[in-house]
Amino acid sequence: KNQVEQSPQSLIILEGKNCTLQCNYTVSPFSNLRWYKQDTGRGPVSLTIMTFSENTKSNGRYTATLDADTKQSSLHITASQLSDSASYICVVSLTGGFKTIFGAGTRLFVKA
Amino acid sequence: DVKVTQSSRYLVKRTGEKVFLECVQDMDHENMFWYRQDPGLGLRLIYFSYDVKMKEKGDIPEGYSVSREKKERFSLILESASTNQTSMYLCASSFEGGATDTQYFGPGTRLTVL
């Protein structure tokens, strides 16, 4: 069964600290993995995308990694800011069309 | 910038009512999608459309229908709303719709069915 599992479900960190969010997937045939950021009351916005051959991708203070062998991805946030408070959703797409599997998300709260 | 708008941010309806959720995108995207988002679950695809008047069922199409009469507009219809359709509904669009294509999301409509 195609599944995407994220951990932790929620996380509270102090402003300025780093954090890492995890995504494990059992999806086949794999095409790519994305991380989205969803602010409260808004739709998700794409942060990074990685294909099978890529194992890291950065977008400012966000760095995503992908281990296609273990089917794990992580999103590392450096020097967190209050505006990083959001849900972060891991999304895996299958080859051959429109099929995408969304994780349930990690709710991050950054406090001052 | 791509803009995807949805007709309502919040909606309250009664059981049995017919509900229309509208989505408009301004980037001439071929593909449009309707998802629902519930706590503890990932986004689940209800329907998508890859061209005007074309539609495909997603993972949870039961109780829903869609309409795409114009390229920029994709409507989700709840023929007879039920309480288990209380949810956040998100519309998205993409240019090509393949697995590597980015989907751009609207702000969502939070629907409550009483």
Side-chain angles (χ1 to χ4, degrees), chain A residues 31-32 34 36 38 41-44 46 49 89 93-94 97-100 102-104, chain B residues 9 31 33 35 37 40-43 48 59 90 97 99-103 105-107:
Chain A
S31 174
N32 64 76
R34 294 178 188 276
Y36 279 86
Q38 184 176 19
R42 298 192 168 216
S46 181
I49 176 173
I89 303 172
S93 294
L94 285 71
F98 295 96
K99 189 69 174 177
T100 56
F102 287 77
Chain B
R9 295 300 302 274
N31 310 290
F33 308 80
Y35 295 89
Q37 185 177 32
L41 301 176
L43 273 71
F48 66 93
D59 299 319
L90 288 160
T100 58
D101 204 27
T102 296
Q103 292 187 21
F105 286 85

Side-chain angles (χ1 to χ4, degrees), chain B residues 15-98:
Chain B
T15 301
E17 279 192 80
K18 191 168 186 177
V19 182
F20 292 88
L21 303 182
E22 297 243 301
C23 175
V24 178
Q25 49 93 5
D26 67 356
M27 282 301 290
D28 202 35
H29 281 173
E30 301 290 327
N31 310 290
M32 298 187 74
F33 308 80
W34 274 108
Y35 295 89
R36 64 178 283 176
Q37 185 177 32
D38 299 291
L41 301 176
L43 273 71
R44 291 180 290 167
L45 181 63
I46 304 171
Y47 268 97
F48 66 93
S49 167
Y50 54 88
D51 202 351
V52 175
K53 296 190 186 296
M54 306 303 290
K55 60 186 179 185
E56 291 286 339
K57 292 180 181 180
D59 299 319
I60 51 165
E62 297 79 18
Y64 304 94
S65 62
V66 290
S67 172
R68 186 129 181 242
E69 296 297 318
K70 293 185 178 181
K71 192 175 186 181
E72 67 271 18
R73 190 179 298 268
F74 192 34
S75 301
L76 180 70
I77 303 151
L78 288 66
E79 294 290 341
S80 177
S82 62
T83 54
N84 63 12
Q85 292 178 310
T86 292
S87 187
M88 169 71 88
Y89 290 87
L90 288 160
C91 173
S93 72
S94 70
F95 181 57
E96 293 180 345

Side-chain angles (χ1 to χ4, degrees), chain A residues 3 26 29-30 33 42 46 57 61 67 70 78 86 101 106 110:
Chain A
Q3 278 186 315
T26 54
F30 176 88
L33 185 145
R42 298 192 168 216
S46 181
K57 187 70 71 79
R61 293 179 296 102
D67 186 333
T70 62
T78 304
I101 312 293
T106 292
V110 180

Side-chain angles (χ1 to χ4, degrees), chain A:
Chain A
K1 183 181 177 184
N2 291 317
Q3 278 186 315
V4 176
E5 295 185 348
Q6 293 187 242
S7 61
Q9 277 195 316
S10 61
L11 186 61
I12 302 173
I13 61 172
L14 287 173
E15 186 179 15
K17 297 293 186 184
N18 304 335
C19 68
T20 301
L21 314 180
Q22 299 289 346
C23 173
N24 297 335
Y25 62 92
T26 54
V27 172
S28 181
F30 176 88
S31 174
N32 64 76
L33 185 145
R34 294 178 188 276
W35 283 92
Y36 279 86
K37 179 186 179 188
Q38 184 176 19
D39 292 311
T40 301
R42 298 192 168 216
V45 174
S46 181
L47 290 174
T48 63
I49 176 173
M50 291 177 290
T51 59
F52 186 87
S53 58
E54 296 174 296
N55 55 22
T56 188
K57 187 70 71 79
S58 291
N59 178 357
R61 293 179 296 102
Y62 301 102
T63 300
T65 64
L66 174 65
D67 186 333
D69 292 330
T70 62
K71 300 187 176 181
Q72 295 180 326
S73 176
S74 64
L75 180 69
H76 186 75
I77 304 174
T78 304
S80 61
Q81 300 176 359
L82 298 179
S83 59
D84 293 330
S85 294
S87 289
Y88 292 85
I89 303 172
C90 176
V91 183
V92 181
S93 294
L94 285 71
T95 57
F98 295 96
K99 189 69 174 177
T100 56
I101 312 293
F102 287 77
T106 292
R107 184 74 176 88
L108 174 66
F109 181 73
V110 180
K111 63 180 184 179

